[in-house]
Amino acid sequence: MSLLDVKDLSVSFGRHRTRVLDHACLSLEPGQRLGFVGASGSGKTVLASAIMGLLPENAHVEGSIVFQGQELTALTDRVFSAIRGRNLSMVFQEPMTALDPTMKVGRQAAELIGLHRETSTMATRQRVEQIFDRVGLDHASRIADAYPHELSGGQRQRVVIAMALMNNPAMVICDEPTTALDATVQAKVLSLLDEELAGVNAACLFISHDLGLVSRICTDVAVIHAGKIVERGSAAQVFMNPQHPYTAGLVATASIDAVEPGTRLPVIEDFFDPRQEQ
Amino acid sequence: MTAYSLDHVTMAFGGRRRKVTALESLTLHIGEHERWGIVGESGSGKTSLLKILAGLIRPTSGVVHFLGRDLDHANREAMASLRASVQMVFQDPRSSLNPRMRISEIISEPLRSPLLKGRVDVPTNPETRVSEVLDAVGLPPDAATRFPHEFSGGQRQRIALARALAPRPRILLADEPVSSLDVSVRAHVLNLLNSLVDSMGLTLIMVTHDLAVVRHTCDHVGVLQQGILVESGKVLEVMNHPKQEYTQELLNAVPRIKESG
């Protein structure tokens, strides 16, 4: 049985029922890493929010999401909150907004343990420092006593990753986890994520618009365009031999290196005309 | 002619107790019509350098020459010529465009600047200039009457570019012009930037952390590490034979699609 099974998931918003996700199907095996690629506004984050049960009130959801044999779309908030942060966790895009600015990061991380387990304050604190240490935060105890604004962007994202891995989840959703970081920090955070996911053998849904990043982390790729999943396959197959013209366009735009400097870069429209598709 | 020549420029912030040196004894010569990429991580002093070049801050010590003139803030003539011929594109078009102004007002605002009075080649009719530059950046003419929120991120960066080009600058400064954009939109904006810099004969100075973008767009590169210019020269020389470990590290950090899965 798959760890996660999304079947015919459609999400629409508001009175006009604007459809942002259209019959999306995907499944994830335990420990598998799927890159979810698409342009901004294609519905990537909506899918992540739907799985996490974080869609706003005005969203209409059709279809099913089965996680560890449990149908998630029908769950009440109370039942869902026992899963969220424990078996299923998320790394958000912008670490400054994902963390509470008025709370020391050690306490925020401790809260996550306290919500799901009964442990003593001492043991919790130890666990927090231990995992901060593991994600490469030097002086873990000093960092734990810092407020988010006292940390750098890379340190903050490490804290967010530490929190996502805190309860050894079966699956982690990463929503553009490194877009707020610069190139060298991004490379370090990515390899950390790679190691830590392997360490707890967690499955991962890695959302990004950058194929280069996805190919570093994921074994499989799904491509979404305008709310529809247009292609799905192993990373090697999708990148080397894209079937859908939109995917071909994405691959070409992501490879700046392959283009003679100063000449025109290929754009998606060279490969794919969105109007033709309709 | 050299556009900028910087001689032992140091920029320090803060007082005696906690002094931060953003740039240390930086010497750099940028010729006219050259395209420079300034790379480095956050905190390396890229933005401080760009602000000095834009005349927004003055260095703690050292001399900056702009088009042969000493750029001392007391030298009003040099400052006026700088402000009249340098324009800038910012990183995030969501915050660099006034949400309460129509696109036509945003683009024509620099044309109304008193700083441009001394110049002869300033476009005289703002309306025609607005439609000219909108056309140059590939936006429809009816964009002029709309507001920034009606546009996508890539389109907003085109508007920012149109605004920078409206007063016919000689030098274009760009602070991470594509890093807030989608990979698919990035190609559009880079193509546009390239062709405009070409056709208008601009000097381009672009700050970024993405070496792939620099390699594609620029002919010269300067690598900043903690305020020190550790390496500079022709793009291909620096990228193919980096002398500094740090440059190599930056090169390795560029995400590429792996050849084998």
Side-chain angles (χ1 to χ4, degrees), chain B residues 162-228:
Chain B
R163 170 179 62 184
L165 296 174
R168 297 212 172 91
R170 288 168 75 173
I171 287 145
L172 186 65
L173 306 178
D175 188 2
E176 307 262 11
V178 292
S179 65
S180 73
L181 304 176
D182 239 44
V183 171
S184 50
V185 182
R186 184 179 71 176
H188 279 288
V189 174
L190 283 180
N191 281 340
L192 178 68
L193 189 67
N194 253 338
S195 69
L196 289 174
V197 169
D198 260 346
S199 63
M200 301 187 180
L202 297 175
T203 307
L204 175 71
I205 302 166
M206 178 164 76
V207 154
T208 177
H209 63 250
D210 192 338
L211 272 175
V213 170
V214 170
R215 181 179 168 274
H216 188 78
T217 318
C218 303
D219 46 31
H220 288 75
V221 64
V223 182
L224 276 175
Q225 183 186 20
Q226 290 171 3
I228 297 167

Side-chain angles (χ1 to χ4, degrees), chain A residues 27-45:
Chain A
S27 63
L28 232 75
E29 302 302 317
Q32 194 187 13
R33 297 190 197 163
L34 176 70
F36 200 56
V37 187
S40 38
S42 59
K44 303 184 299 253
T45 302

Side-chain angles (χ1 to χ4, degrees), chain A residues 144-161:
Chain A
D145 283 327
Y147 287 97
H149 75 265
E150 297 174 293
L151 305 177
S152 71
Q155 285 175 323
R156 267 182 237 138
Q157 199 58 300
R158 280 174 202 266
V159 169
V160 173
I161 291 175

Side-chain angles (χ1 to χ4, degrees), chain A residues 123-268:
Chain A
T124 309
R125 173 76 188 197
Q126 266 179 0
R127 170 88 178 123
V128 168
E129 288 186 15
Q130 181 200 343
I131 196 150
F132 276 14
D133 194 49
R134 216 174 76 199
V135 297
L137 289 162
D138 297 336
H139 313 291
S141 110
R142 211 191 68 215
I143 301 259
D145 283 327
Y147 287 97
H149 75 265
E150 297 174 293
L151 305 177
S152 71
Q155 285 175 323
R156 267 182 237 138
Q157 199 58 300
R158 280 174 202 266
V159 169
V160 173
I161 291 175
M163 286 170 68
L165 297 166
M166 194 71 86
N167 292 319
N168 296 331
M171 179 172 153
V172 182
I173 298 178
C174 301
D175 188 1
E176 310 243 12
T178 59
T179 33
L181 308 174
D182 69 33
T184 42
V185 182
Q186 166 171 291
K188 284 179 198 142
V189 169
L190 273 185
S191 56
L192 166 76
L193 196 61
D194 193 18
E195 281 166 31
E196 293 301 320
L197 286 173
V200 295
N201 194 30
C204 176
L205 184 67
F206 188 91
I207 297 177
S208 179
H209 63 89
D210 194 332
L211 294 181
L213 294 184
V214 168
S215 81
R216 278 200 185 185
I217 293 283
C218 302
T219 47
D220 292 84
V221 180
V223 180
I224 182 169
H225 173 65
K228 287 188 181 134
I229 295 181
V230 296
E231 186 159 357
R232 163 88 206 253
S234 78
Q237 178 202 326
V238 171
F239 293 149
M240 292 310 124
N241 189 16
Q243 298 302 310
H244 194 277
Y246 180 74
T247 317
L250 272 185
V251 171
T253 50
S255 332
I256 291 194
D257 286 33
V259 182
E260 180 70 14
T263 57
R264 183 178 170 279
L265 290 168
V267 295
I268 301 253

Side-chain angles (χ1 to χ4, degrees), chain B residues 15 23 42 66 74 80 88 94 105 127 135 167 185 207 229 242:
Chain B
L23 290 173
S42 341
F66 174 70
M88 187 151 166
R94 275 164 284 276
E105 297 172 273
E127 271 171 48
D135 183 53
V185 182
V207 154
L229 189 71

